[in-house]
Amino acid sequence: MPVTALVSAKSSGVTTTALALTLASKRPSLLAECDPAGGTIRAGFLQGEATAGFGLYHLATAERTGPDALAHAFASHLWSMDQAGHRKLLPGLTDPGQAAALTRTWPALSDVLHVLADDAGYDVFIDAGRLALESGHLHPTLTPAPLLHQADLVLLVVRGTEQSLTLARHLIDPLRTELTERGNGPEALGLLLIEDGPYRAHQVADALKVPVLAALPADPATADYFTTGGRPPRGYGRSPLLRHARTATEQFEAAVSRREIQRQYPPRAANPQLAGVLQRLTERSGPRG
Ligand SMILES: Nc1ncnc2c1ncn2[C@@H]1O[C@H](COP(=O)(O)OP(=O)(O)O)[C@@H](O)[C@H]1O
Ligand SMILES: [Mg+2]
């Protein structure tokens, strides 16, 4: 299953979206709250239920004691968001001042997340917070850069508003270059649109020259539940946000497997007929609707 990292140009729904995707996935799922500016789920959605004994910061401490220590400590720092334990959360930092301590933890954490996705079939989502650049590259302490480099998908969360698109526009080129030079390739980059504002998915894709891999509806009641916790709103299980989030997880999986097929069997210029067959085959397994 894919490891999908979510980022924003400026607060635009990354944490809410990451929670919606994690809780909606058909597969076992894990959300790693890796926003260096600090996590909001513990005090928000969980209403303080998860004590400070759980979470990301402890993995930084563990990692310093030895090469395999993080992998061993990992499971004991996850919080179950459901009874059955299929929806796991790695709660984020309680203090943004701790972010610098994580710089050398990200690569080992990334390895563990990929093992969980590849070998245990988990849908893994990373809340990577707001993007920060330094000299045209991902900032080494204000972003979890290694997680973004290694993610199967890096999705910039945007809203369909002029303000959101204006801010996102400046990040596309540096992000694409970063993924080309240091990451999983430029095809890893996509947009996730929150349908708030006048711009539709095709307009957003045209404006930013990046495919929109999923669109989620504006659903204030469900989003508010993910932000502040408490009692789920009426009809939560069938809410527009949760239903579309479920479809989105399938679209991500299809996008990643399509890319894998294309990597294994690159279309051959010498045989355009074969390339056409491949394209039709991969389109079938692509996103619906
Ligand atoms: N799909 C949505 N529909 C309506 N409101 C949303 C949606 N996604 C997020 N929000 C709201 O936007 C605000 C910011 O969301 P949040 O997830 O905290 O953003 P970020 O993590 O990017 O800072 C919150 O009040 C949240 O409830
Ligand atoms: Mg957030």
Side-chain angles (χ1 to χ4, degrees):
M1 290 304 125
V3 173
T4 304
L6 303 163
V7 289
S8 70
K10 185 175 179 181
S11 175
S12 51
V14 168
T15 303
T16 305
T17 301
L19 264 172
L21 294 167
T22 306
L23 294 172
S25 170
K26 278 187 188 155
R27 294 168 283 268
S29 54
L30 177 123
L31 168 53
E33 203 187 9
C34 299
D35 181 346
T40 53
I41 296 176
R42 202 191 296 262
F45 183 61
L46 297 183
Q47 298 196 318
E49 248 183 280
T51 63
F54 287 87
L56 180 60
Y57 184 65
H58 298 283
L59 297 186
T61 316
E63 194 272 337
R64 263 179 251 121
T65 64
D68 296 330
L70 185 146
H72 287 127
F74 184 74
S76 56
H77 286 289
L78 302 180
W79 182 261
S80 273
M81 295 192 285
D82 66 344
Q83 293 271 324
H86 296 318
R87 316 262 176 229
K88 307 238 193 263
L89 170 74
L90 176 65
L93 298 180
T94 48
D95 170 5
Q98 298 164 339
L102 283 155
T103 316
R104 48 172 286 190
T105 312
W106 300 129
L109 176 59
S110 183
D111 289 346
V112 171
L113 296 179
H114 280 272
V115 167
L116 212 59
D118 296 343
D119 300 349
Y122 269 72
D123 234 345
V124 175
F125 298 97
I126 299 169
D127 178 342
R130 194 177 70 83
L131 276 181
L133 299 174
E134 186 184 62
S135 315
H137 287 291
L138 291 174
H139 194 287
T141 51
L142 299 180
T143 69
L147 295 183
L148 296 171
H149 293 154
Q150 283 158 40
D152 298 302
L153 290 174
V154 176
L155 301 181
L156 184 62
V157 177
V158 294
R159 296 192 178 222
T161 62
E162 196 64 54
Q163 297 93 311
S164 184
L165 298 189
T166 303
L167 289 175
R169 192 168 281 126
H170 299 285
L171 291 174
I172 299 294
D173 283 344
L175 195 49
R176 193 186 281 115
T177 307
E178 179 91 8
L179 294 177
T180 307
E181 291 175 0
R182 303 180 180 183
N184 230 331
E187 314 83 29
L189 179 61
L191 300 172
L192 187 146
L193 172 68
I194 295 180
E195 293 169 328
D196 167 30
Y199 294 101
R200 304 282 133 237
H202 70 276
Q203 295 168 310
V204 171
D206 280 354
L208 299 181
K209 311 264 181 301
V210 178
V212 173
L213 291 194
L216 297 184
D219 178 352
T222 313
D224 192 53
Y225 168 60
F226 289 143
T227 306
T228 56
R231 279 165 68 89
R234 265 174 70 105
Y236 162 72
R238 285 165 283 102
S239 63
L241 184 51
L242 215 56
R243 281 192 290 115
H244 283 79
R246 179 177 281 241
T247 309
T249 60
E250 289 165 17
Q251 289 168 343
F252 301 155
E253 188 195 345
V256 171
S257 53
R258 198 164 53 232
R259 198 177 67 207
E260 288 308 312
I261 293 174
Q262 276 160 355
R263 273 187 188 164
Q264 283 170 27
Y265 307 101
R268 286 169 220 202
N271 192 340
Q273 239 176 346
L274 261 186
V277 170
L278 178 66
Q279 195 180 351
R280 281 194 295 282
L281 272 173
T282 55
E283 269 165 8
R284 292 254 166 88
S285 61
R288 291 183 296 272

